[in-house]
Amino acid sequence: MTGHFAARAATYDRSSSWCTDSDLAEVVLATTSPRPTDRVLDVACGTGLVSRVFRGRTAEVVGVDITEEMAEQARAHVDRLVISPAESMPFEDASFDIVVCRQGVQFMNLPDAVEEMVRVTRPGGKVVLVHLCAYGPADRDEYFEILRLRNPVRRHFFLPTDLEDLVRKAGCDAVTTRRYVSVEDVDVWSDNGAIEEERREAIREVYRNASPRFRSLHAVRESDGRFTDHMLFVVVTGHKA
Ligand SMILES: C[S@@+](CC[C@H](N)C(=O)[O-])C[C@H]1O[C@@H](n2cnc3c(N)ncnc32)[C@H](O)[C@@H]1O
């Protein structure tokens, strides 16, 4: 896990268009409505791209990540940086008003990590998972295969309802989901700095052979052998009961 992200650290911010997508950031802000007094925890903060969205809008932003090479880049964008697994974080119960995790839970022990996020959230506070998902059963198998090829250390693959269930079962209610579609050039997205050309070619092959249903749901476009995929993000927000 940490080896994979150490290899990706230098080029991570350019590895997907969603990384620095300000429209996706706006969806996260609209969902969380941060107040100037809020304490925010960015779980699996990576290089601090989500922390930057909250910094300056809230009283404190704390970043936590397991990979030092990624997290060092976040240092300038957080008030405090902690190297720790998300499954066991060194924070008191109810320490934060907003706990956000983007593209992190796919790598974690579940449901432990989400239960830990809820533990450190104050009652009434928000737990927010921002994650790529399959649209539904019709594209699940092909999309999960593409995601597996792109990231060999990934452990979990989600439909939107899986993330809603995780948040609800960990102790949140009033769970809401917003959707956001990110347009990715597959050749750029697959060039993540940590997989071989063989795997990138295998990803192209899945797109070449994709079913009509997958092509339609993902609005796949092909030009000169390059594919564009409309990937689904969900922003699932629960309020700690
Ligand atoms: C795809 S990056 C997402 C980074 C950032 N949240 C973003 O949206 O740009 C995944 C991050 O999860 C971290 N990670 C993976 N497993 C973790 C765990 N068990 N605890 C904490 N961080 C973890 C990795 O080190 C990596 O920085």
Side-chain angles (χ1 to χ4, degrees):
M1 168 63 60
T2 52
H4 174 87
F5 281 104
R8 291 182 57 182
T11 58
Y12 175 81
D13 290 4
R14 300 191 300 274
S15 62
S16 302
S17 85
W18 59 258
C19 281
T20 51
D21 184 340
S22 56
D23 290 340
L24 176 57
E26 284 301 324
V27 175
V28 174
L29 283 176
T31 307
T32 48
S33 309
R35 299 166 306 175
T37 53
D38 280 344
R39 292 153 301 161
V40 176
L41 177 64
D42 180 6
V43 178
C45 65
T47 59
L49 294 171
V50 174
S51 298
R52 288 179 222 191
V53 173
F54 287 94
R55 193 93 188 276
R57 299 174 191 269
T58 59
E60 185 182 32
V61 178
V62 178
V64 62
D65 201 282
I66 202 170
T67 309
E68 286 187 34
E69 291 84 348
M70 292 285 283
E72 270 311 316
Q73 298 176 63
R75 194 172 289 284
H77 308 292
V78 294
D79 297 294
R80 192 152 54 103
L81 184 65
V82 177
I83 303 298
S84 165
E87 293 85 347
S88 169
M89 296 187 282
F91 307 119
E92 300 287 324
D93 293 357
S95 300
F96 297 97
D97 302 285
I98 297 171
V99 175
V100 60
C101 182
R102 185 175 77 170
Q103 285 292 101
V105 289
Q106 59 189 327
F107 306 111
M108 296 172 184
N109 293 336
L110 297 176
D112 314 33
V114 178
E115 289 170 357
E116 182 70 346
M117 292 177 208
V118 174
R119 179 187 71 75
V120 302
T121 306
R122 69 160 169 81
K126 293 165 194 150
V127 177
V128 188
L129 302 181
V130 185
H131 222 289
L132 284 171
C133 287
Y135 285 85
D139 67 319
R140 176 176 50 198
D141 293 349
E142 287 157 284
Y143 191 48
F144 289 178
E145 174 63 3
I146 289 163
L147 295 176
R148 187 189 66 76
L149 286 164
R150 197 232 185 203
N151 195 327
V153 296
R154 185 176 178 135
R155 298 170 58 192
H156 307 284
F157 302 85
F158 304 109
L159 299 181
T161 48
D162 297 326
L163 293 163
E164 292 160 2
D165 286 349
L166 269 171
V167 168
R168 200 173 282 117
K169 285 180 181 160
C172 290
D173 53 24
V175 176
T176 59
T177 300
R178 291 185 191 223
R179 292 158 62 101
Y180 180 81
V181 173
S182 179
V183 184
E184 300 292 341
D185 175 328
V186 170
D187 262 35
V188 174
W189 176 78
S190 66
D191 188 16
N192 65 11
I195 62 170
E196 294 137 17
E197 177 54 28
E198 207 173 287
R199 268 179 183 264
R200 296 183 66 215
E201 181 54 21
I203 291 170
R204 287 184 207 108
E205 192 63 9
V206 179
Y207 281 96
R208 278 181 209 115
N209 298 322
S211 65
R213 189 80 187 119
F214 180 93
R215 283 176 177 263
S216 160
L217 277 168
H218 287 249
V220 175
R221 303 278 175 267
E222 183 177 1
S223 173
D224 297 330
R226 287 177 81 109
F227 295 93
T228 304
D229 187 339
H230 292 62
M231 299 191 187
L232 174 66
F233 262 95
V234 295
V235 181
V236 174
T237 305
H239 293 249
K240 181 171 175 177

